[in-house]
Amino acid sequence: MTDIHFGTDGWRAIIGEDFTADNLVRVIDASARVFKEDAVALGRAADSLGTIIIGHDCRQDAHAYAQLAAEVAATHGFTVKLTQDYCPTPTLCWSVAQDADAVGGIMLTSSHNPAKYLGVKLRMADGGAAGKEFTDRVEAAFSDKPTSARASYVEVDLMTPYLHTLKEAVDVEAIRNAGLRVVVDPLYGAGRIHLANLLREIGVEVCEINNACDPTFDGLHPEPIPPWVNRCLAKVPELGYDAGFINDGDADRIGAVDEHGNFVNPHRIITLITSHLAEDKGLSGRVVSTITASAMLARQCKRLGLELTSTPVGFKWIYAEMEKGDVMLGGEESGGIGIPGHVMERDGLLMALLLCETMAQRGMSLGQLMDDMFEKVGKLEFERQGLTITDEQMVNFRANTIPAYAPSEVCGKKVVDVDRRDGVKFYLEGDAWVMMRPSGTEPLVRIYAEAETVDEVHDLLDAAKAVILA
């Protein structure tokens, strides 16, 4: 049988290769066993174990696979609720958190991976991601052969109550009065139709692109970064609209476009939303971000008097901080931003609404908001690249570079601090930095750099490559 492992956030595989009905049955059967163990440990009766909610994205045959997952999970004595149709991951997470009887959730998605992939994300009773201890137990519970047992489930409407709560989270009157016009690009993913219609309901004029029912995604990778966002980059200035919003395949991430067709990366979105929550909405609490976050966010938090907590890469680390409490906002460089007061998970649809609210309440376009933010915290450029290397180079990188490489300067900039929690990050004078970290799933090293100019960023990336390949 296929060797199945959970990565940073779930199990993902190519449909028809390792993602098969048999392997899905093994994963769901084992997951339900562990959910059941925990339910019993909490004192739930064998005939009243609670509810598991199941959702799925827009991948090939995703609903049929989800129906199979529901039939298998139900054999363990749970009430199983299956989404009527595709839904974003944050919808599934919010639905679990709002259901007092729910012990967890199962989302069939492979997020930002190419169209040929499908996978499984496991969610806990609060809607947050299952931790490694939980998924290790699931892996240990895999059966060699898929069970043939099946039981009944019910299909439910997850979208209507979730979309209603999103509208309650923002100032609809201000948005309606602002006369905003935006392009929405779901990249053929699970935000398709839902975000565009929601924005229209609250008075925003919307042009939605890449929204057909097309499980091939027209060859695009559903990841809200260049080059996959290029259609949106062109469409916004072509129409003369105020902004564009792009979600990934399961709509828990966001990227944006200003009125000039400039990409607004997640670093800038997080930094802006932090200001909006604190200054416009009067919220407080810690801001949590991964180690790859922009120095602009640190400057923003200092300006606003907010505590900034840094974590290793992966939203599960942000979720762990949310569990501790006193968190206003958590965000990562890849575009996943979450507000624990809404749900303990990323939500790309909520972030689009908050950007609309910011534009409406401040009376500015997205580009004007960026210019205003740069005046207050300065402007920094960022880029991330992946460098594929040999096994020998990876061994050297892990054994020598990460623990021991300690230059006094990089590209003429003095090293002022070093962080080796997740790869190695060098903080440089002037708030520039460069970071190298090995991928957990591929034979490559991810390189990140931030500085005042694009040329400086490229110099830092080149310097990092030279070290890795040496």
Side-chain angles (χ1 to χ4, degrees):
M1 296 296 291
T2 305
D3 196 18
I4 298 171
H5 291 290
F6 282 79
T8 304
D9 189 12
W11 165 62
R12 297 172 194 178
I14 294 174
I15 300 168
E17 293 185 14
D18 285 347
F19 195 96
T20 62
D22 281 355
N23 281 339
L24 177 63
V25 168
R26 293 172 64 216
V27 169
I28 301 303
D29 181 47
S31 300
R33 288 175 192 272
V34 178
F35 277 126
K36 184 174 183 176
E37 286 174 6
D38 288 354
V40 171
L42 287 172
R44 290 187 182 244
D47 60 349
S48 181
L49 289 172
T51 298
I52 289 178
I53 305 177
I54 298 180
H56 66 83
D57 67 11
C58 300
R59 310 276 166 160
Q60 184 72 49
D61 299 324
H63 190 72
Y65 282 121
Q67 288 174 317
L68 176 60
E71 290 176 343
V72 174
T75 65
H76 291 272
F78 292 104
T79 298
V80 176
K81 297 178 180 178
L82 172 66
T83 184
Q84 292 172 341
D85 202 347
Y86 70 87
C87 70
T89 291
T91 307
L92 181 277
C93 298
W94 181 86
S95 301
V96 170
Q98 295 299 311
D99 190 329
D101 194 52
V103 299
I106 299 172
M107 181 72 188
L108 272 65
T109 180
S110 52
S111 188
H112 60 282
N113 287 68
K116 64 183 179 180
Y117 286 83
L118 190 51
V120 173
K121 291 182 176 182
L122 301 178
R123 292 295 180 260
M124 309 312 291
D126 62 3
K132 187 174 185 301
E133 184 270 339
F134 189 92
T135 56
D136 282 351
R137 289 167 59 204
V138 172
E139 288 185 20
F142 286 150
S143 298
D144 290 338
K145 294 182 179 180
T147 177
S148 59
R150 304 288 186 268
S152 61
Y153 60 89
V154 294
E155 289 198 4
V156 294
D157 172 16
L158 300 182
M159 290 308 306
T160 300
Y162 163 75
L163 293 172
H164 179 74
T165 203
L166 288 186
K167 281 195 284 191
E168 291 186 328
V170 293
D171 185 344
V172 172
E173 185 177 357
I175 294 172
R176 194 179 301 280
N177 292 336
L180 297 174
R181 300 178 301 166
V182 306
V183 175
V184 169
D185 183 358
L187 292 172
Y188 299 97
R192 183 173 69 84
I193 311 300
H194 296 310
L195 176 58
N197 284 349
L198 177 61
L199 289 170
R200 291 183 183 117
E201 285 177 18
I202 61 176
V204 179
E205 183 178 325
V206 178
C207 171
E208 188 179 22
I209 63 174
N210 299 327
N211 67 341
C213 178
D214 179 2
T216 73
F217 301 159
D218 195 26
L220 296 176
H221 288 200
E223 186 168 14
I225 58 172
W228 316 115
V229 299
N230 287 352
R231 294 177 186 175
C232 194
L233 294 180
K235 198 67 174 179
V236 175
E238 174 194 320
L239 296 175
Y241 276 17
D242 302 300
F245 306 131
I246 311 109
N247 291 133
D248 68 331
D250 64 338
D252 62 358
R253 299 184 183 189
I254 189 169
V257 182
D258 73 13
E259 66 271 28
H260 308 296
N262 298 312
F263 181 59
V264 180
N265 68 38
H267 292 293
R268 295 174 178 180
I269 296 173
I270 296 167
T271 305
L272 175 63
I273 294 291
T274 296
S275 162
H276 175 57
L277 295 181
E279 296 184 284
D280 303 335
K281 294 175 82 72
L283 301 183
S284 61
R286 290 185 296 145
V287 175
V288 183
S289 67
T290 55
I291 191 175
T292 53
S294 171
M296 289 188 295
L297 180 60
R299 293 174 180 177
Q300 184 77 284
C301 289
K302 183 177 181 180
R303 185 180 79 84
L304 297 170
L306 299 172
E307 180 184 346
L308 177 63
T309 302
S310 175
T311 73
V313 173
F315 201 84
K316 64 182 180 182
W317 301 107
I318 295 175
Y319 167 57
E321 290 296 327
M322 288 179 172
E323 285 186 302
K324 296 177 185 176
D326 189 35
V327 173
M328 179 181 80
L329 175 79
E332 56 186 349
E333 165 264 329
S334 59
I337 311 168
I339 297 174
H342 165 61
V343 66
M344 309 272 273
E345 180 57 282
R346 302 155 284 194
D347 193 331
L349 283 75
L350 176 60
M351 293 308 129
L353 263 66
L354 287 172
L355 288 174
C356 285
E357 183 181 55
T358 310
M359 289 190 285
Q361 292 184 341
R362 297 189 181 185
M364 298 182 191
S365 66
L366 188 54
Q368 291 169 334
L369 287 171
M370 286 296 112
D371 290 341
D372 179 64
M373 185 178 81
F374 296 148
E375 282 187 21
K376 293 172 179 171
V377 302
K379 183 179 182 181
L380 294 170
E381 302 292 343
F382 169 86
E383 191 170 324
R384 181 188 85 180
Q385 295 181 1
L387 180 64
T388 301
I389 59 175
T390 65
D391 291 344
E392 183 180 359
Q393 288 168 326
M394 182 64 83
V395 168
N396 178 64
F397 178 71
R398 288 180 179 276
N400 298 311
T401 307
I402 292 176
Y405 181 61
S408 59
E409 63 176 43
V410 181
C411 295
K413 293 181 180 292
K414 182 181 178 183
V415 176
V416 296
D417 201 4
V418 182
D419 190 326
R420 302 184 193 271
R421 285 179 297 166
D422 190 351
V424 57
K425 178 178 181 178
F426 297 104
Y427 294 87
L428 311 173
E429 57 187 338
D431 277 346
W433 56 271
V434 61
M435 179 173 171
M436 302 170 279
R437 60 178 289 271
S439 167
T441 56
E442 302 168 82
L444 58 81
V445 175
R446 301 197 189 281
I447 309 168
Y448 313 76
E450 186 173 57
E452 288 189 353
T453 69
V454 172
D455 285 345
E456 287 178 299
V457 168
H458 288 162
D459 288 344
L460 291 171
L461 292 171
D462 289 342
K465 288 178 194 173
V467 170
I468 296 165
L469 298 175

